[in-house]
């Protein structure tokens, strides 16, 4: 598809609907695609819809040139010899990490799942239509604009006391009975929890929409934080996230780069004693 055809996808004046990332600054998007022609076409479409988009090479992205202040990176999974996952890991380790949409033509399902678990905001199969790509970009920008500031919150002993006062927590159609450790899906299926998953979920429902550090989640799951234990926490959160995702399409647990994890839904609690949620 040519750039002229992509430009015809636009409807109405672009300037009147300029996307912004915050502080009235237009959203800046970097496109890293081993297919230079496809990258140029994608950049043209994004620019026609009000984004500040440009195509950059792997070397420029790796050394940080132009990438430190961007809002979104569209990254080809097969962009370099060591793979797009290595580039994704590099991006997620930055203090101010942009949103990331992975492009995949030949990557396996496992690669796509790993990319999402590593913190990619979306994974799109190539080729895709211009309208779908634009919708996915807008969706990522919209979701990230609603994310609370990235800062791990120290819950302290008050949070632990509050956990103990919850009898039943309800969120996004789910029911979590704390005393019996029973988690029931919106469709009525009982979802089993390991001890670690139970402790993490209890922490999440006690402090929803609050960034939970790995250290706090380690305490909640009964495991000391640090070193390999941090990876264990990531794996346990991934398993809990997968169990929730098997029964609902909603995103309930969000990865917060350099912060930890965020439990997204509104939670209503029945207190076990006076007080509670």
């Amino acid at each position: 598809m040519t750039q002229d055809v992509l430009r015809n996808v636009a409807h109405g004046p672009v300037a009147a609907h300029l996307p912004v990332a915050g502080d009235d600054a237009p959203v800046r998007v970097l496109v890293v695609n081993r297919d230079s022609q496809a990258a140029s076409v994608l950049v043209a479409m994004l620019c026609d819809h009000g984004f500040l988009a440009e195509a950059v090479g792997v070397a420029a992205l790796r050394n940080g040139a132009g990438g430190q202040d961007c809002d979104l990176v569209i990254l080809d999974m097969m962009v370099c010899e060591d793979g797009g996952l290595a580039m994704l890991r590099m991006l997620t380790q930055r203090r101010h990490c942009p949103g990331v949409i992975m492009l995949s033509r030949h990557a396996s399902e496992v690669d796509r799942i790993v990319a999402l678990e590593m913190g990619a905001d979306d994974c799109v199969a190539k080729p895709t239509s211009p309208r779908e790509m634009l919708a996915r970009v807008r969706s990522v920008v919209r979701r990230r604009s609603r994310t609370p500031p990235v800062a791990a919150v120290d819950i302290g002993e008050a949070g632990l006391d509050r956990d103990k006062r919850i009898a039943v927590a309800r969120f996004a159609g789910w029911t979590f009975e704390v005393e019996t450790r029973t988690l029931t899906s919106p469709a009525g299926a009982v979802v089993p929890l390991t001890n670690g998953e139970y402790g993490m979920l209890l922490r999440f429902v006690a402090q929803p929409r609050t960034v939970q550090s790995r250290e706090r989640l380690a305490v909640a799951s009964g495991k000391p934080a640090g070193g390999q234990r941090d990876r264990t926490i990531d794996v346990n959160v991934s398993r809990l996230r997968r169990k929730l995702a098997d029964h609902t399409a909603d995103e309930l647990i969000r990865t917060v780069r350099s912060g930890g994890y965020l439990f997204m839904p509104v939670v209503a609690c029945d207190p076990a004693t006076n007080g509670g949620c």
Side-chain angles (χ1 to χ4, degrees), residues 1 3 6 31-45 54-58 76 78-79 103 105 126:
M1 183 173 290
Q3 296 183 19
L6 283 174
V31 178
V32 187
N33 194 330
R34 64 176 181 171
D35 185 336
S36 59
Q37 182 177 2
S40 297
V41 171
L42 180 55
V43 165
M45 180 195 68
E54 62 177 307
V56 299
V58 174
D76 189 345
M78 308 300 293
V79 72
L103 298 176
R105 184 189 298 273
K126 298 193 302 182

Side-chain angles (χ1 to χ4, degrees), residues 162 166-170 205-206 267-271 276-277:
R162 190 177 184 218
I166 301 173
V168 180
R170 298 179 178 83
V205 299
V267 178
C269 296
D270 295 340
C277 294

Side-chain angles (χ1 to χ4, degrees), residues 35-189:
D35 185 336
S36 59
Q37 182 177 2
S40 297
V41 171
L42 180 55
V43 165
M45 180 195 68
L46 292 172
C47 289
D48 281 346
H49 286 80
F51 294 88
L52 294 180
E54 62 177 307
V56 299
V58 174
L61 189 65
R62 182 177 282 121
N63 64 29
Q68 296 293 350
D69 59 347
C70 72
D71 302 294
L72 177 66
V73 175
I74 299 175
L75 179 63
D76 189 345
M77 186 83 79
M78 308 300 293
V79 72
C80 56
E81 290 184 1
D82 52 356
L85 293 179
M87 299 300 298
L88 173 62
R89 184 180 298 108
M90 179 203 69
L91 289 171
T92 58
Q93 290 175 347
R94 289 183 177 177
R95 180 174 180 82
H96 301 290
C97 177
V100 180
I101 296 178
M102 302 296 292
L103 298 176
S104 168
R105 184 189 298 273
H106 301 296
S108 67
E109 180 183 7
V110 172
D111 286 339
R112 295 193 297 271
I113 292 173
V114 169
L116 294 172
E117 296 290 0
M118 287 176 59
D121 295 271
D122 200 354
C123 194
V124 182
K126 298 193 302 182
T128 187
S129 71
R131 289 181 184 274
E132 180 182 354
M133 194 67 221
L134 180 63
R136 288 178 180 272
V137 168
R138 285 173 169 167
S139 176
V140 170
V141 171
R142 186 167 56 248
R143 291 200 309 267
R144 290 177 64 86
S145 69
R146 293 198 299 260
T147 302
V150 176
V153 176
D154 185 357
I155 298 173
E157 292 302 318
L160 293 175
D161 290 342
R162 190 177 184 218
D163 291 352
K164 298 173 184 178
R165 296 203 300 267
I166 301 173
V168 180
R170 298 179 178 83
F171 56 92
W174 291 79
T175 301
F176 179 37
E177 299 176 51
V178 174
E179 185 173 356
T180 61
R181 301 193 173 199
T182 303
L183 177 63
T184 306
S185 74

